[in-house]
Amino acid sequence: MDIWYVPDPARAPLRAELGLLGELAAEPCQFEPFHDTPGPAELRGCVRKQLHWHHELERRAGGAVPFPRLCVLSSGRPTTVLDAFGFDPVPGRPGLYRAAPGWRIDLVVIAELPRTRDTLLLRLLGARTVLRDAIRELVALPDDAWERGIALPWLLRLRFETPAEPSARTAEDAEEEEIVTEVQQWFEQLKQSLRDEARKEGLQEGRKEGLQEGRKEGLQEGRKEGQLRVLASQFEKKLGRPLTEMEHSLLAERFERFGADRLDDARLALPPEALAAWLADPTAR
């Protein structure tokens, strides 16, 4: 399976903020995203995994367990699949289709989802124009929008395989390359603005400490200390908690070895759990 998701009951309020994605994730579910529109063979493959997984769950439990849900995410409309397997549209939910109840299969046609904030995270799994529009909507959100914090680390991993020979590339390849370039430009602009802010705050802190020391060396050291304080504050904001004493020490050591730019890259590119692991690993670069 691509994803097997089991919700945490304690996080129900957070899931409610995710819109349609939160609704789909309200119970244990197998998610199968397709960048290209799937056909009948691909759907049968997903169902095969669903059946095998149900068998495995019952084997582990030593008895009957609820049949798991399957949610297929398709970038385009798989007309053949919808017709052949008897999917019906879900009232009030454009782009969402459901098979007969016994199969427990939902199918989301990402290209048909309304352009609302409620569907933004799902539309970021779309292709071509849908993806480009979703990225632009994400960029237009306020800097503190929760969607940006969730989506940014994964957008940074956005990669497409394109033919090595330019003559072999299709119009779709070229369009997706443009989307990758747009994401990279946005990320570089975001990094630069954060670095400028951190350097400004670090300089202000350094001037204060340098004046107190009353000498040039104190000013230089004060700038570094101020910049490190700002970086520590930004790491704490990303992690959602204060840094431990050990983490402060590792952060200072990496600041000396690799510089602020490397720390910015890690903070922006990694989700909180991965960032904590990177910070705790003495060999990480």
Side-chain angles (χ1 to χ4, degrees):
M1 289 180 291
D2 286 342
I3 300 170
W4 170 246
Y5 172 81
V6 178
D8 179 355
R11 297 187 177 185
L14 294 177
R15 278 194 302 278
E17 297 180 1
L18 299 179
L20 177 57
L21 180 58
E23 292 180 26
L24 297 172
E27 61 178 296
C29 186
Q30 167 191 346
F31 286 93
E32 299 286 347
F34 286 88
H35 185 66
D36 296 318
T37 304
E42 285 78 17
L43 183 65
R44 292 190 189 100
C46 294
V47 172
R48 187 180 304 115
K49 289 184 281 186
Q50 180 190 28
L51 293 169
H52 277 301
W53 182 233
H54 181 231
H55 175 74
E56 175 62 16
L57 290 174
E58 290 193 323
R59 187 192 67 79
R60 294 181 186 182
V65 301
F67 191 61
R69 284 181 61 246
L70 164 63
C71 183
V72 178
L73 306 174
S74 173
S75 60
R77 180 180 176 85
T79 302
T80 303
V81 167
L82 294 175
D83 293 342
F85 293 88
F87 281 89
D88 292 320
V90 176
R93 273 301 188 185
L96 178 60
Y97 298 82
R98 190 159 287 158
W103 287 108
R104 305 208 71 211
I105 304 176
D106 290 337
L107 192 151
V108 179
V109 180
I110 295 174
E112 296 181 359
L113 293 176
R115 290 184 55 175
T116 63
R117 193 165 175 177
D118 180 62
T119 67
L120 178 56
L121 290 182
L122 282 170
R123 286 184 289 117
L124 286 169
L125 298 175
R128 294 177 283 283
T129 303
V130 173
L131 174 59
R132 183 193 300 275
D133 290 344
I135 290 173
R136 289 173 177 171
E137 290 175 41
L138 182 72
V139 174
L141 291 176
D143 290 343
D144 60 352
W146 60 267
E147 292 95 338
R148 291 173 67 121
I150 290 176
L152 179 59
W154 305 109
L155 282 176
L156 299 182
R157 290 163 174 75
L158 189 63
R159 295 291 184 272
F160 298 99
E161 294 183 1
T162 56
E165 292 296 327
S167 59
R169 296 179 183 175
T170 67
E172 291 182 357
D173 292 332
E175 186 173 3
E176 293 193 336
E177 282 185 287
E178 290 178 8
I179 295 173
V180 173
T181 301
E182 192 167 318
V183 171
Q184 292 172 339
Q185 290 173 346
W186 171 49
F187 177 54
E188 290 303 322
Q189 291 171 0
L190 176 61
K191 283 201 302 183
Q192 190 58 50
S193 65
L194 291 174
R195 287 168 181 166
D196 291 344
E197 179 183 352
R199 284 168 181 151
K200 181 179 179 181
E201 293 182 23
L203 182 59
Q204 291 172 344
E205 290 286 336
R207 282 174 175 166
K208 292 178 183 178
E209 296 188 12
L211 289 173
Q212 290 173 357
E213 292 291 335
R215 59 182 182 271
K216 183 177 180 180
E217 292 81 1
L219 179 59
Q220 293 173 339
E221 287 299 317
R223 285 176 177 171
K224 292 173 62 177
E225 288 294 328
Q227 193 173 8
L228 184 56
R229 282 200 193 113
V230 173
L231 284 168
S233 175
Q234 292 172 339
F235 267 72
E236 289 177 339
K237 183 177 180 181
K238 179 68 176 281
L239 294 172
R241 61 170 175 80
L243 295 179
T244 65
E245 185 175 345
M246 177 62 71
E247 287 171 334
H248 271 290
S249 298
L250 288 170
L251 189 66
E253 187 267 339
R254 288 180 197 174
F255 176 67
E256 289 292 337
R257 288 176 59 197
F258 306 126
D261 285 354
R262 177 66 189 101
L263 299 184
D264 281 337
D265 287 342
R267 179 172 55 86
L268 290 170
L270 299 175
E273 296 81 3
L275 183 63
W278 177 84
L279 193 56
D281 181 1
T283 64
R285 296 181 59 85

